[in-house]
Amino acid sequence: MKTALITGVTGQDGSYLAELLIQKGYEVHGMIRRSSSFNTSRIDHLYNDPNVLHSKLFLHYGDMTDSSNLNRILDRVKPDEIYNLAAQSHVKVSFEVPEYTAEVDGLGTLRILDAMKETQVGAKFYQASTSELFGKVQEVPQIETTPFYPRSPYAVAKLFSYWTVVNYREAYNLFACNGILFNHESPRRGGTFVTRKITQAVVRIMRGGQSTPIKLGNINSQRDWGYAPEYVEGMWRVLQSASPSDYLLATNETHTVREFIEQAFAYFGENIYWEGVDESEKGFLRSNSQLVVEIDPYYYRPTEVDLLVGDYSKAKRELGWEPKVKFDELVSIMVRADLENYENQNEKH
Ligand code: NAP
Ligand code: F7E
């Protein structure tokens, strides 16, 4: 039985990855942050499963800012594979807490890699790198060799981690890999990221639970959105490759935030029409002219990433990885899940 350690196990990706690895027969150890309130909602279903608890999933308190606990966890668990997913992962928030973001997303990675080197734990290491590294893009579509141009404290911290992984691989012969993952979403996506913010609000609006419009920032930015469960399977494949390397996972399609809004309303058979420009632009339902989208400059970023689209040919060729869920289906999956949640909650009340 293989043993895996997942940092960030309570996050969107960590929860899907824990599920996948348990299914594959791994013993999974997850690192969680100490919190005054419960922060395990995404893994509670695993934790409460008697087939899983006490035999396949073990949780350890820890924090990416604290070397001593990272060393201790590595020493106790002696994992075969480490998936470093823990991060302050919100790009806009990183402009507000840049130093903390660098501590967690940059130095945190160095802390684990250095502990691996010192303890000679011999694990394979996966780093959650990101399409945000491409930032102000130098090439379309982006591939593994496209030059980086980070545009946020988040991306700069992740760039530090990217190169630390490469350096520790070359200097100390560690099996350490970067997965350069483009945006991937799911019903477990945090509610402050744009996709989930839209799907939750669209459901409330269409079911009469919200009469005010959704307030959004830049709706013209373009993203390559995939489906998170497929991407965590890609993470696992990265660590099963014959030799350590860096891989880009994406769908090779790009869509605007505006299209995401239109597609989410289309789930309910509604069309949107737009009036005004820039901060004055507004979106209305074609059926009854209800105002449903407004621009709020609060959500603008000091520097934006305008266009991301990734060519995943290397992952397809070397790992046999290919995404199946594309944009329209992804939006449907997310809206359907939020609609079910909404209806379940309303039944209970
Ligand atoms: P997420 O939902 O925000 O989860 C982040 C995880 O990190 C949570 O478990 C969080 O714990 C934990 N964490 C945050 N700060 C920590 C700290 N100081 N010490 C220990 N744990 C900490 O992110 P995600 O979407 O699953 O993404 C997973 C990773 O992939 C992240 O590194 C992200 O930057 C990267 N990434 C994501 C995408 C994407 O589109 N989702 C794309 C490329 C790369 P709490 O639950 O306690 O907050
Ligand atoms: O923004 C625009 C915003 O916050 C997407 C993280 O997982 O993926 C994610 O980063 C776009 C941006 O994701 C709102 O300006 C408009 O252009 O959903 P997001 P992100 O910044 O792309 C990458 C790959 C990661 O690595 C990150 O960890 O949507 N946008 N209006 C908005 N964004 C938000 N959050 N909220 C708005 O109201």
PDB file of all heavy atoms in Angstrom, residues 6 12 18 35 46 55 58 91 93 111 139 169 183 185 202 231 243 251 278-280 338 345:
ATOM      1  N   ILE A   6      -1.013  14.884   1.596  1.00  0.00           N
ATOM      2  CA  ILE A   6      -1.596  15.999   0.840  1.00  0.00           C
ATOM      3  C   ILE A   6      -1.631  17.224   1.743  1.00  0.00           C
ATOM      4  O   ILE A   6      -2.290  17.207   2.787  1.00  0.00           O
ATOM      5  CB  ILE A   6      -3.042  15.680   0.387  1.00  0.00           C
ATOM      6  CG1 ILE A   6      -3.096  14.377  -0.419  1.00  0.00           C
ATOM      7  CG2 ILE A   6      -3.618  16.846  -0.404  1.00  0.00           C
ATOM      8  CD1 ILE A   6      -4.533  13.948  -0.808  1.00  0.00           C
ATOM      9  N   GLN A  12     -10.561  22.532  -2.523  1.00  0.00           N
ATOM     10  CA  GLN A  12     -11.266  21.880  -3.647  1.00  0.00           C
ATOM     11  C   GLN A  12     -10.468  20.680  -4.160  1.00  0.00           C
ATOM     12  O   GLN A  12     -10.956  19.543  -4.197  1.00  0.00           O
ATOM     13  CB  GLN A  12     -11.465  22.869  -4.808  1.00  0.00           C
ATOM     14  CG  GLN A  12     -11.967  22.173  -6.082  1.00  0.00           C
ATOM     15  CD  GLN A  12     -11.993  23.069  -7.315  1.00  0.00           C
ATOM     16  OE1 GLN A  12     -13.058  23.529  -7.689  1.00  0.00           O
ATOM     17  NE2 GLN A  12     -10.860  23.305  -7.949  1.00  0.00           N
ATOM     18  N   ALA A  18      -7.847  13.318  -2.383  1.00  0.00           N
ATOM     19  CA  ALA A  18      -7.935  12.338  -1.285  1.00  0.00           C
ATOM     20  C   ALA A  18      -8.875  11.204  -1.694  1.00  0.00           C
ATOM     21  O   ALA A  18      -8.544  10.022  -1.527  1.00  0.00           O
ATOM     22  CB  ALA A  18      -8.410  13.023  -0.009  1.00  0.00           C
ATOM     23  N   SER A  35      -8.096  25.596  13.337  1.00  0.00           N
ATOM     24  CA  SER A  35      -9.061  26.680  13.177  1.00  0.00           C
ATOM     25  C   SER A  35     -10.059  26.620  14.327  1.00  0.00           C
ATOM     26  O   SER A  35     -10.346  25.534  14.848  1.00  0.00           O
ATOM     27  CB  SER A  35      -9.793  26.483  11.842  1.00  0.00           C
ATOM     28  OG  SER A  35     -10.988  27.201  11.817  1.00  0.00           O
ATOM     29  N   LEU A  46     -15.785  11.804   3.638  1.00  0.00           N
ATOM     30  CA  LEU A  46     -14.755  10.756   3.708  1.00  0.00           C
ATOM     31  C   LEU A  46     -14.490  10.400   5.156  1.00  0.00           C
ATOM     32  O   LEU A  46     -14.381   9.239   5.534  1.00  0.00           O
ATOM     33  CB  LEU A  46     -13.445  11.272   3.092  1.00  0.00           C
ATOM     34  CG  LEU A  46     -13.379  11.416   1.593  1.00  0.00           C
ATOM     35  CD1 LEU A  46     -12.073  12.071   1.185  1.00  0.00           C
ATOM     36  CD2 LEU A  46     -13.499  10.038   0.948  1.00  0.00           C
ATOM     37  N   SER A  55      -8.567   3.896   8.883  1.00  0.00           N
ATOM     38  CA  SER A  55      -7.758   2.929   8.147  1.00  0.00           C
ATOM     39  C   SER A  55      -7.095   3.545   6.926  1.00  0.00           C
ATOM     40  O   SER A  55      -6.000   3.163   6.547  1.00  0.00           O
ATOM     41  CB  SER A  55      -8.609   1.738   7.710  1.00  0.00           C
ATOM     42  OG  SER A  55      -9.653   2.188   6.881  1.00  0.00           O
ATOM     43  N   PHE A  58      -5.896   9.922   7.395  1.00  0.00           N
ATOM     44  CA  PHE A  58      -5.385  10.402   8.670  1.00  0.00           C
ATOM     45  C   PHE A  58      -5.122  11.896   8.532  1.00  0.00           C
ATOM     46  O   PHE A  58      -4.556  12.331   7.534  1.00  0.00           O
ATOM     47  CB  PHE A  58      -4.073   9.691   9.027  1.00  0.00           C
ATOM     48  CG  PHE A  58      -4.234   8.203   9.112  1.00  0.00           C
ATOM     49  CD1 PHE A  58      -4.128   7.419   7.964  1.00  0.00           C
ATOM     50  CD2 PHE A  58      -4.504   7.587  10.314  1.00  0.00           C
ATOM     51  CE1 PHE A  58      -4.286   6.042   8.022  1.00  0.00           C
ATOM     52  CE2 PHE A  58      -4.657   6.206  10.392  1.00  0.00           C
ATOM     53  CZ  PHE A  58      -4.554   5.434   9.246  1.00  0.00           C
ATOM     54  N   VAL A  91      -6.174  35.127  -6.078  1.00  0.00           N
ATOM     55  CA  VAL A  91      -5.278  36.100  -6.724  1.00  0.00           C
ATOM     56  C   VAL A  91      -5.539  37.515  -6.204  1.00  0.00           C
ATOM     57  O   VAL A  91      -4.605  38.240  -5.836  1.00  0.00           O
ATOM     58  CB  VAL A  91      -5.428  36.031  -8.256  1.00  0.00           C
ATOM     59  CG1 VAL A  91      -4.640  37.150  -8.932  1.00  0.00           C
ATOM     60  CG2 VAL A  91      -4.982  34.663  -8.777  1.00  0.00           C
ATOM     61  N   VAL A  93      -6.942  38.477  -3.390  1.00  0.00           N
ATOM     62  CA  VAL A  93      -6.564  38.571  -1.971  1.00  0.00           C
ATOM     63  C   VAL A  93      -5.052  38.726  -1.828  1.00  0.00           C
ATOM     64  O   VAL A  93      -4.564  39.401  -0.921  1.00  0.00           O
ATOM     65  CB  VAL A  93      -7.080  37.324  -1.206  1.00  0.00           C
ATOM     66  CG1 VAL A  93      -6.507  37.246   0.195  1.00  0.00           C
ATOM     67  CG2 VAL A  93      -8.613  37.324  -1.154  1.00  0.00           C
ATOM     68  N   ARG A 111      10.183  25.025   2.309  1.00  0.00           N
ATOM     69  CA  ARG A 111      10.280  24.331   3.610  1.00  0.00           C
ATOM     70  C   ARG A 111      10.106  22.828   3.431  1.00  0.00           C
ATOM     71  O   ARG A 111      10.856  22.047   4.005  1.00  0.00           O
ATOM     72  CB  ARG A 111       9.208  24.866   4.571  1.00  0.00           C
ATOM     73  CG  ARG A 111       9.465  26.284   5.037  1.00  0.00           C
ATOM     74  CD  ARG A 111       8.456  26.748   6.103  1.00  0.00           C
ATOM     75  NE  ARG A 111       8.753  28.129   6.449  1.00  0.00           N
ATOM     76  CZ  ARG A 111       8.074  29.206   6.033  1.00  0.00           C
ATOM     77  NH1 ARG A 111       6.985  29.061   5.311  1.00  0.00           N
ATOM     78  NH2 ARG A 111       8.466  30.418   6.349  1.00  0.00           N
ATOM     79  N   GLU A 139       2.829  34.201 -25.385  1.00  0.00           N
ATOM     80  CA  GLU A 139       2.601  33.256 -26.492  1.00  0.00           C
ATOM     81  C   GLU A 139       1.190  32.695 -26.323  1.00  0.00           C
ATOM     82  O   GLU A 139       0.739  32.484 -25.197  1.00  0.00           O
ATOM     83  CB  GLU A 139       3.626  32.118 -26.331  1.00  0.00           C
ATOM     84  CG  GLU A 139       3.733  31.141 -27.445  1.00  0.00           C
ATOM     85  CD  GLU A 139       4.871  30.134 -27.188  1.00  0.00           C
ATOM     86  OE1 GLU A 139       5.275  29.916 -26.034  1.00  0.00           O
ATOM     87  OE2 GLU A 139       5.318  29.561 -28.179  1.00  0.00           O
ATOM     88  N   ARG A 169      15.245  19.512  -7.886  1.00  0.00           N
ATOM     89  CA  ARG A 169      15.321  18.324  -8.747  1.00  0.00           C
ATOM     90  C   ARG A 169      16.736  18.190  -9.323  1.00  0.00           C
ATOM     91  O   ARG A 169      17.318  17.120  -9.302  1.00  0.00           O
ATOM     92  CB  ARG A 169      14.283  18.479  -9.871  1.00  0.00           C
ATOM     93  CG  ARG A 169      14.200  17.309 -10.815  1.00  0.00           C
ATOM     94  CD  ARG A 169      12.944  17.438 -11.669  1.00  0.00           C
ATOM     95  NE  ARG A 169      13.027  18.468 -12.690  1.00  0.00           N
ATOM     96  CZ  ARG A 169      11.996  19.208 -13.122  1.00  0.00           C
ATOM     97  NH1 ARG A 169      10.792  19.032 -12.617  1.00  0.00           N
ATOM     98  NH2 ARG A 169      12.162  20.118 -14.061  1.00  0.00           N
ATOM     99  N   ASN A 183      -7.084  27.032 -14.824  1.00  0.00           N
ATOM    100  CA  ASN A 183      -8.248  27.079 -13.910  1.00  0.00           C
ATOM    101  C   ASN A 183      -9.061  25.802 -14.018  1.00  0.00           C
ATOM    102  O   ASN A 183      -9.413  25.370 -15.120  1.00  0.00           O
ATOM    103  CB  ASN A 183      -9.167  28.253 -14.276  1.00  0.00           C
ATOM    104  CG  ASN A 183      -8.492  29.592 -14.132  1.00  0.00           C
ATOM    105  OD1 ASN A 183      -7.429  29.810 -14.703  1.00  0.00           O
ATOM    106  ND2 ASN A 183      -9.097  30.491 -13.386  1.00  0.00           N
ATOM    107  N   GLU A 185     -12.503  23.919 -12.036  1.00  0.00           N
ATOM    108  CA  GLU A 185     -13.650  24.316 -11.217  1.00  0.00           C
ATOM    109  C   GLU A 185     -14.499  23.093 -10.921  1.00  0.00           C
ATOM    110  O   GLU A 185     -14.336  22.042 -11.530  1.00  0.00           O
ATOM    111  CB  GLU A 185     -14.476  25.351 -11.989  1.00  0.00           C
ATOM    112  CG  GLU A 185     -13.663  26.399 -12.739  1.00  0.00           C
ATOM    113  CD  GLU A 185     -12.935  27.373 -11.847  1.00  0.00           C
ATOM    114  OE1 GLU A 185     -13.561  27.873 -10.899  1.00  0.00           O
ATOM    115  OE2 GLU A 185     -11.745  27.659 -12.085  1.00  0.00           O
ATOM    116  N   VAL A 202     -26.710  32.897  -9.806  1.00  0.00           N
ATOM    117  CA  VAL A 202     -27.692  32.651 -10.878  1.00  0.00           C
ATOM    118  C   VAL A 202     -28.827  31.771 -10.349  1.00  0.00           C
ATOM    119  O   VAL A 202     -30.012  32.030 -10.611  1.00  0.00           O
ATOM    120  CB  VAL A 202     -26.996  32.026 -12.121  1.00  0.00           C
ATOM    121  CG1 VAL A 202     -28.018  31.452 -13.099  1.00  0.00           C
ATOM    122  CG2 VAL A 202     -26.129  33.068 -12.809  1.00  0.00           C
ATOM    123  N   TYR A 231      -8.501  17.011 -13.249  1.00  0.00           N
ATOM    124  CA  TYR A 231      -7.169  17.597 -13.049  1.00  0.00           C
ATOM    125  C   TYR A 231      -6.424  16.909 -11.907  1.00  0.00           C
ATOM    126  O   TYR A 231      -5.206  16.755 -11.959  1.00  0.00           O
ATOM    127  CB  TYR A 231      -7.280  19.113 -12.839  1.00  0.00           C
ATOM    128  CG  TYR A 231      -7.561  19.853 -14.142  1.00  0.00           C
ATOM    129  CD1 TYR A 231      -8.655  19.516 -14.938  1.00  0.00           C
ATOM    130  CD2 TYR A 231      -6.737  20.871 -14.597  1.00  0.00           C
ATOM    131  CE1 TYR A 231      -8.910  20.161 -16.138  1.00  0.00           C
ATOM    132  CE2 TYR A 231      -6.971  21.532 -15.791  1.00  0.00           C
ATOM    133  CZ  TYR A 231      -8.067  21.172 -16.563  1.00  0.00           C
ATOM    134  OH  TYR A 231      -8.296  21.819 -17.754  1.00  0.00           O
ATOM    135  N   SER A 243      10.181   9.554 -15.363  1.00  0.00           N
ATOM    136  CA  SER A 243      11.191  10.453 -14.794  1.00  0.00           C
ATOM    137  C   SER A 243      10.519  11.793 -14.487  1.00  0.00           C
ATOM    138  O   SER A 243       9.525  12.147 -15.129  1.00  0.00           O
ATOM    139  CB  SER A 243      12.340  10.641 -15.783  1.00  0.00           C
ATOM    140  OG  SER A 243      11.825  11.065 -17.009  1.00  0.00           O
ATOM    141  N   THR A 251      -7.528  22.743 -21.123  1.00  0.00           N
ATOM    142  CA  THR A 251      -8.484  22.180 -22.093  1.00  0.00           C
ATOM    143  C   THR A 251      -8.205  22.638 -23.529  1.00  0.00           C
ATOM    144  O   THR A 251      -8.819  22.143 -24.465  1.00  0.00           O
ATOM    145  CB  THR A 251      -9.945  22.588 -21.768  1.00  0.00           C
ATOM    146  OG1 THR A 251     -10.083  23.993 -22.027  1.00  0.00           O
ATOM    147  CG2 THR A 251     -10.325  22.269 -20.339  1.00  0.00           C
ATOM    148  N   ASP A 278     -17.866  49.435 -20.023  1.00  0.00           N
ATOM    149  CA  ASP A 278     -16.948  49.441 -18.874  1.00  0.00           C
ATOM    150  C   ASP A 278     -17.718  49.350 -17.547  1.00  0.00           C
ATOM    151  O   ASP A 278     -18.547  48.480 -17.386  1.00  0.00           O
ATOM    152  CB  ASP A 278     -16.039  50.686 -18.921  1.00  0.00           C
ATOM    153  CG  ASP A 278     -15.216  50.718 -20.214  1.00  0.00           C
ATOM    154  OD1 ASP A 278     -14.924  49.634 -20.742  1.00  0.00           O
ATOM    155  OD2 ASP A 278     -14.894  51.819 -20.703  1.00  0.00           O
ATOM    156  N   GLU A 279     -17.445  50.326 -16.634  1.00  0.00           N
ATOM    157  CA  GLU A 279     -18.067  50.225 -15.308  1.00  0.00           C
ATOM    158  C   GLU A 279     -19.580  50.405 -15.338  1.00  0.00           C
ATOM    159  O   GLU A 279     -20.267  50.079 -14.370  1.00  0.00           O
ATOM    160  CB  GLU A 279     -17.452  51.279 -14.373  1.00  0.00           C
ATOM    161  CG  GLU A 279     -16.023  50.940 -14.016  1.00  0.00           C
ATOM    162  CD  GLU A 279     -15.312  52.087 -13.337  1.00  0.00           C
ATOM    163  OE1 GLU A 279     -15.975  52.888 -12.645  1.00  0.00           O
ATOM    164  OE2 GLU A 279     -14.092  52.194 -13.524  1.00  0.00           O
ATOM    165  N   SER A 280     -20.087  50.958 -16.442  1.00  0.00           N
ATOM    166  CA  SER A 280     -21.540  51.192 -16.531  1.00  0.00           C
ATOM    167  C   SER A 280     -22.272  50.047 -17.219  1.00  0.00           C
ATOM    168  O   SER A 280     -23.497  50.107 -17.397  1.00  0.00           O
ATOM    169  CB  SER A 280     -21.813  52.470 -17.335  1.00  0.00           C
ATOM    170  OG  SER A 280     -21.101  53.527 -16.769  1.00  0.00           O
ATOM    171  N   ASP A 338     -25.531  23.464  -7.637  1.00  0.00           N
ATOM    172  CA  ASP A 338     -25.976  24.576  -6.776  1.00  0.00           C
ATOM    173  C   ASP A 338     -27.500  24.632  -6.694  1.00  0.00           C
ATOM    174  O   ASP A 338     -28.057  25.001  -5.657  1.00  0.00           O
ATOM    175  CB  ASP A 338     -25.392  25.910  -7.281  1.00  0.00           C
ATOM    176  CG  ASP A 338     -23.948  26.077  -6.820  1.00  0.00           C
ATOM    177  OD1 ASP A 338     -23.625  25.605  -5.714  1.00  0.00           O
ATOM    178  OD2 ASP A 338     -23.143  26.652  -7.574  1.00  0.00           O
ATOM    179  N   GLN A 345     -31.828  22.907   0.723  1.00  0.00           N
ATOM    180  CA  GLN A 345     -31.845  23.819   1.884  1.00  0.00           C
ATOM    181  C   GLN A 345     -33.234  24.406   2.102  1.00  0.00           C
ATOM    182  O   GLN A 345     -33.710  24.513   3.225  1.00  0.00           O
ATOM    183  CB  GLN A 345     -30.853  24.954   1.689  1.00  0.00           C
ATOM    184  CG  GLN A 345     -29.480  24.602   2.228  1.00  0.00           C
ATOM    185  CD  GLN A 345     -28.436  25.613   1.828  1.00  0.00           C
ATOM    186  OE1 GLN A 345     -28.764  26.655   1.275  1.00  0.00           O
ATOM    187  NE2 GLN A 345     -27.185  25.311   2.097  1.00  0.00           N
TER     188      GLN A 345
END
